[in-house]
Amino acid sequence: MGRPQPSIDRVQSADDWHCAPCALAVVDSSFSIVRANKVFHQLSELTEKNVEGCRLSQIFSKPSQIYFESILLPLLHIKGSCQEIALTILTEQEPAPVLVNIAARPNTTTRLYDIIIFPATERRSYEEQLSILKRDAERRASWLAQLETLSGLGAWTYEIKTKRMLWSDRIYELYGIAKDAEVSLEVALRPLAPELRRAIMAFIDRPDGTREPMVQEADFGAPPDQVRRFKIVAQHRLNHLGEPVIQGFLQDVTEAHHRQIELWRAAHIDQMTGLANRAYFQSELARQTETNANDVTIAYLDLDLFKDVNDQYGHSAGDDCLVEIGKRLRAQCSETQAFVARLGGDEFAILFFDKKADEIEDLVGSIIESIRQPICLSNGNEVILGVSVGLARYDSDDLTASSEVLRRADLAMYAAKTAGRNAFAWFDLRLDVDRKNTKQLDRDLKLALEQDEFFLVFQPQYNLHDGSLVGFEALLRWHHPTKGLVPPLEFIPIAEANGLIRPIGRWVMARACEFAKRMHGNTKVAVNVSALQFRDPDFVPFVLEGVKSLDLAHGALEIELTESVLLELNPTFQAMIERLRAHGITIAIDDFGTGYSSLGYLSKFPFDVIKIDRSFISDLKSKNSLRILRSIIGMGSSINKKIVVEGIETLEQVEFLKSFQSLIAQGYFFGKPVKLDQAVDIARQSDLMRFGLHPVLTGQWA
């Protein structure tokens, strides 16, 4: 047992091979002799011509042949080698005891074994040898069972010739059937999907076999009451008898599969909405644009007024909104080929594939309408959001990078938001220029307040019935150091987007209150207030402090809120409005008729004045405009609200408006906006003003 073992690696030359002191041979996977040295010929008493192709076991005595074929070869298929195995070789005189070493060659394209045989120095009884081998086989079987338990692997063999299926104990456990049950190929394939069953049958039926193993991972429906994930490996081999078999293993990888899914979801799925996240969206967009397989359109969505929900109700309310918006987007896109994602915050995106422009516009229109429906929060409140959508197209003729297409959609989204929100806009190359100008205005706007570039103009407001001055509306203007006067429609949306509307709004309110003080309570001063300002919890205290410090008379200050505030009317908003009114501040609805007009809102909203949007007076010849105007005036008068019609700037328009006097209990029209000193003079002369007597009616907007 302690004898030094000759190594085939050391006898590679022909001389070393034939002069080795022991018998050497090389056999193939079926244990047929490929080559042998001279000592092997002498020991086996076979000539060189007879030895090649002879099965190795044929040189042994009958008992050794039985042991070699039934016990030793199966162990060799598992372990690959064995040392110091006592056997006997047939000779003409009497069987000669020998010790045999067998080792599989590593890294060979075909399976080969090196055989070393030398005479035994002492003879063991076959009973002793079989006893040792039996204990060794039991030890190996126990070790294999432990290995199966630890690894979750189960070994199996399918004999192609006999069509017999052999399973290890672990396979029976994985299938959930008794270990003494009859098994067959049909039983083995039953829990697998039809496609995988066909693939395995095709693998088995290959006439020439294959050295490449088959590796599959698939759902496994056994036992029937559960579905697990299994890894299946199969390979063509020859067994110890040289017969073709399919051998492999089965492994339960359910937990690992679930972990992989969880890791993938964590990396690709937005945890709040269940939609794709930004990384997944960008990956899918890049894949689509790189392959040019589809015409792709990006819809970039940004929720309107979402920040105000967070500010007013808290971030949990914002989360409620995002979850609901995710559901609505998924529902809207469920019947079309689209890829929906949440990019982060209140931004979403959709990839539309192979859709025409009009189809996309219809889909986006439906999405906008869906998002505008009320959202019930978990705290019992109800909010209504809007959405602005930018659209940018990529097609197979376009070589633009995916990141650039996304940027274009983003630009288009801002164009839709600037145009009034709750709308969509397509990308246009002019938007790039506009975007640069907007960015520059954004930078300049941050310096405008501290550099005193803002000023107010005051637009006089006259009584419809007698032409007397009843008040002024304070209007903000910006005199840019290089651009001159910048229209409010250009810089107010920027101020709302970057948050400057709050400090700018406070500046306007303070200056307007100072002007109201100069009027000694004889005329009111109206101030436009952004919805963003009104949602500031410090807004009402700031206004009331200004009214108190200046000791303004009741009715001296009027706050104008846009009609969109009606949508978010809630107990908090109502309390804020009632608090302002309790201190003598009147409330007006500005631009009425352009958004969400409803008798239901009007009956609930605690306001004093309706300001009808100027668009209804711009075309006096339009019968539709006249009908709508008459309807709104009648509706407001029926609930005893004051009526202001914006856009009345000429004597002709005043005369036209007088035709509605029978409907309007308290109606007003405007004059030309003027600077502070001129406004003071107008107030002093107010007792002299009557219809047609004052030049302000022929002026234009500043």
Side-chain angles (χ1 to χ4, degrees):
M1 296 291 291
R3 175 195 304 268
Q5 303 304 312
S7 172
I8 296 294
D9 295 336
R10 298 177 183 176
V11 289
Q12 293 301 316
S13 68
D15 291 341
D16 290 340
W17 172 264
H18 289 291
C19 296
C22 56
L24 302 178
V26 176
V27 299
D28 59 18
S29 58
S30 62
F31 282 83
S32 296
I33 300 171
V34 176
R35 58 184 297 217
N37 68 353
K38 293 179 180 179
V39 177
F40 188 93
H41 296 315
Q42 295 169 356
L43 194 62
S44 64
E45 298 182 350
L46 294 173
T47 65
E48 183 175 351
K49 181 178 180 181
N50 293 333
V51 77
E52 291 186 9
C54 175
R55 192 168 177 81
L56 180 64
S57 59
Q58 293 179 7
I59 71 171
F60 300 124
S61 64
K62 193 63 176 179
S64 291
Q65 285 183 17
I66 295 173
Y67 167 71
F68 186 87
E69 294 286 355
S70 61
I71 297 178
L72 187 58
L73 289 190
L75 290 178
L76 284 172
H77 280 297
I78 296 174
K79 189 177 179 182
S81 64
C82 60
Q83 304 292 330
E84 299 276 328
I85 303 301
L87 300 172
T88 57
I89 290 181
L90 287 173
T91 65
E92 291 182 355
Q93 300 176 356
E94 64 179 6
V98 293
L99 295 179
V100 180
N101 293 324
I102 304 175
R105 284 192 179 182
N107 304 322
T108 56
T109 55
T110 58
R111 189 76 162 178
L112 296 175
Y113 291 88
D114 290 318
I115 311 297
I116 303 175
I117 303 175
F118 48 86
T121 55
E122 60 184 26
R123 182 171 180 175
R124 299 178 183 174
S125 69
Y126 292 115
E127 292 80 7
E128 179 185 0
Q129 181 69 15
L130 288 174
S131 175
I132 293 173
L133 288 174
K134 182 179 179 182
R135 290 195 302 269
D136 186 59
E138 291 173 349
R139 186 178 72 251
R140 292 176 187 276
S142 174
W143 175 74
L144 285 174
Q146 293 175 8
L147 182 62
E148 282 191 341
T149 302
L150 290 173
S151 66
L153 294 172
W156 57 269
T157 298
Y158 175 70
E159 297 178 346
I160 297 176
K161 187 175 182 179
T162 64
K163 301 188 182 304
R164 186 173 60 157
M165 178 67 74
L166 304 175
W167 284 0
S168 69
D169 290 348
R170 177 61 177 162
I171 297 288
Y172 286 98
E173 292 177 11
L174 293 176
Y175 272 78
I177 60 179
K179 293 181 181 179
D180 58 353
E182 289 290 331
V183 295
S184 63
L185 181 61
E186 180 183 354
V187 172
L189 298 180
R190 190 176 299 154
L192 305 178
E195 297 81 5
L196 184 55
R197 289 202 296 266
R198 286 192 290 269
I200 292 176
M201 289 304 301
F203 181 82
I204 291 174
D205 292 340
R206 288 185 183 179
D208 56 346
T210 177
R211 282 183 245 155
E212 294 298 323
M214 179 183 185
V215 181
Q216 293 281 351
E217 191 172 304
D219 290 338
F220 189 83
D225 59 340
Q226 59 179 293
V227 176
R228 292 171 292 168
R229 190 77 172 179
F230 275 27
K231 182 177 182 180
I232 304 167
V233 177
Q235 187 170 22
H236 281 269
R237 304 183 66 90
L238 295 176
N239 65 7
H240 62 286
L241 299 175
E243 297 172 343
V245 296
I246 308 292
Q247 291 181 329
F249 66 81
L250 197 65
Q251 183 180 21
D252 189 339
V253 294
T254 305
E255 292 185 8
H257 179 67
H258 288 167
R259 285 196 298 270
Q260 288 179 344
I261 292 176
E262 290 171 3
L263 290 173
W264 186 91
R265 288 186 60 84
H268 295 84
I269 302 299
D270 176 61
Q271 301 303 303
M272 183 176 297
T273 63
L275 300 175
N277 62 14
R278 176 181 288 272
Y280 191 14
F281 177 83
Q282 290 177 328
S283 173
E284 180 65 15
L285 174 60
R287 187 179 71 84
Q288 293 290 342
T289 54
E290 285 173 4
T291 58
N292 289 329
N294 294 292
D295 288 341
V296 182
T297 298
I298 299 178
Y300 198 112
L301 294 78
D302 185 85
L303 299 181
D304 298 327
L305 309 177
F306 178 75
K307 184 177 184 299
D308 302 320
V309 174
N310 279 334
D311 292 343
Q312 185 171 351
Y313 298 107
H315 288 282
S316 61
D319 293 346
D320 290 344
C321 291
L322 293 174
V323 171
E324 178 61 24
I325 295 299
K327 292 179 181 177
R328 294 182 185 183
L329 289 176
R330 192 181 291 109
Q332 287 292 317
C333 297
S334 62
E335 296 183 1
T336 187
Q337 190 179 8
F339 185 89
V340 186
R342 179 189 173 209
L343 301 183
D346 62 338
E347 295 180 344
F348 296 81
I350 306 173
L351 291 181
F352 293 110
F353 307 116
D354 298 321
K355 294 288 183 185
K356 296 179 181 178
D358 55 348
E359 293 179 298
I360 291 173
E361 290 179 2
D362 289 342
L363 284 168
V364 171
S366 297
I367 288 171
I368 292 173
E369 187 60 33
S370 171
I371 291 178
R372 284 180 58 180
Q373 300 306 307
I375 297 175
C376 295
L377 304 178
S378 56
N379 60 14
N381 289 306
E382 187 178 90
V383 297
I384 296 180
L385 299 175
V387 64
S388 299
V389 183
L391 299 171
R393 197 170 190 86
Y394 179 95
D395 56 49
S396 55
D397 295 328
D398 192 350
L399 299 179
T400 307
S402 59
S403 59
E404 173 63 15
V405 182
L406 187 60
R407 187 189 72 86
R408 290 179 176 181
D410 189 21
L411 284 178
M413 180 273 294
Y414 278 106
K417 195 174 287 287
T418 303
R421 300 175 178 172
N422 284 309
F424 63 84
W426 286 92
F427 171 77
D428 187 288
L429 290 175
R430 289 172 296 184
L431 293 178
D432 265 335
V433 177
D434 294 341
R435 183 66 169 169
K436 292 176 183 177
N437 293 337
T438 300
K439 286 185 177 180
Q440 185 60 49
L441 282 178
D442 180 81
R443 289 190 290 267
D444 295 344
L445 196 60
K446 294 174 182 177
L447 301 174
L449 193 59
E450 62 185 67
Q451 295 182 359
D452 199 27
E453 295 173 5
F454 292 115
F455 67 95
L456 296 182
V457 295
F458 299 89
Q459 186 172 29
Q461 194 176 83
Y462 300 99
N463 188 293
L464 175 65
H465 297 282
D466 61 14
S468 62
L469 181 71
V470 293
F472 292 90
E473 181 175 356
L475 303 172
L476 178 63
R477 297 294 183 264
W478 177 21
H479 190 279
H480 191 279
T482 59
K483 299 179 183 294
L485 282 175
V486 180
L489 288 177
E490 288 189 22
F491 71 83
I492 291 298
I494 298 174
E496 289 181 334
N498 62 19
L500 287 174
I501 194 65
R502 289 189 171 95
I504 292 174
R506 290 193 173 203
W507 182 90
V508 172
M509 183 63 69
R511 299 301 178 274
C513 287
E514 291 171 1
F515 177 72
K517 180 66 175 178
R518 293 185 62 174
M519 297 296 100
H520 305 292
N522 296 325
T523 58
K524 69 175 180 180
V525 177
V527 182
N528 288 289
V529 172
S530 165
L532 294 176
Q533 292 174 259
F534 194 73
R535 296 183 190 93
D536 184 351
D538 296 328
F539 172 74
V540 171
F542 173 79
V543 173
L544 296 182
E545 178 62 30
V547 170
K548 180 180 178 180
S549 63
L550 294 172
D551 194 24
L552 294 183
H554 275 228
L557 180 64
E558 181 173 285
I559 289 178
E560 297 183 359
L561 298 171
T562 58
E563 190 183 355
S564 61
V565 176
L566 292 174
L567 285 176
E568 299 178 51
L569 189 61
N570 55 64
T572 302
F573 273 28
Q574 288 180 314
M576 293 170 65
I577 293 172
E578 293 293 2
R579 189 179 176 191
L580 291 170
R581 296 181 75 203
H583 287 78
I585 300 170
T586 57
I587 305 296
I589 301 178
D590 198 12
D591 300 331
F592 189 83
T594 59
Y596 312 97
S597 307
S598 166
L599 282 172
Y601 288 128
L602 293 179
S603 63
K604 297 177 183 178
F605 195 86
F607 66 98
D608 306 283
V609 181
I610 295 176
K611 292 185 67 178
I612 301 175
D613 187 71
R614 61 190 291 114
S615 61
F616 295 105
I617 204 70
S618 60
D619 185 5
L620 299 180
K621 298 179 181 180
S622 170
K623 292 182 179 181
N624 286 335
S625 294
L626 293 180
R627 291 192 189 99
I628 295 173
L629 181 62
R630 186 178 297 274
S631 175
I632 294 175
I633 290 174
M635 181 174 60
S637 298
S638 67
I639 55 176
N640 298 318
K641 303 300 180 183
K642 296 178 181 179
I643 304 295
V644 176
V645 181
E646 297 179 318
I648 302 296
E649 301 173 348
T650 67
L651 290 173
E652 178 188 3
Q653 291 170 328
V654 171
E655 291 299 324
F656 167 77
L657 188 60
K658 287 171 66 176
S659 66
F660 291 94
Q661 285 186 0
S662 61
L663 294 174
I664 303 175
Q666 300 182 73
Y668 309 99
F669 62 93
F670 292 105
K672 176 184 178 181
V674 294
K675 293 187 177 180
L676 178 63
D677 293 340
Q678 293 171 292
V680 173
D681 290 340
I682 290 173
R684 289 171 182 166
Q685 302 171 29
S686 61
D687 291 338
L688 303 176
M689 298 177 188
R690 292 295 182 268
F691 285 136
L693 299 180
H694 200 278
V696 294
L697 294 177
T698 60
Q700 300 299 318
W701 291 77

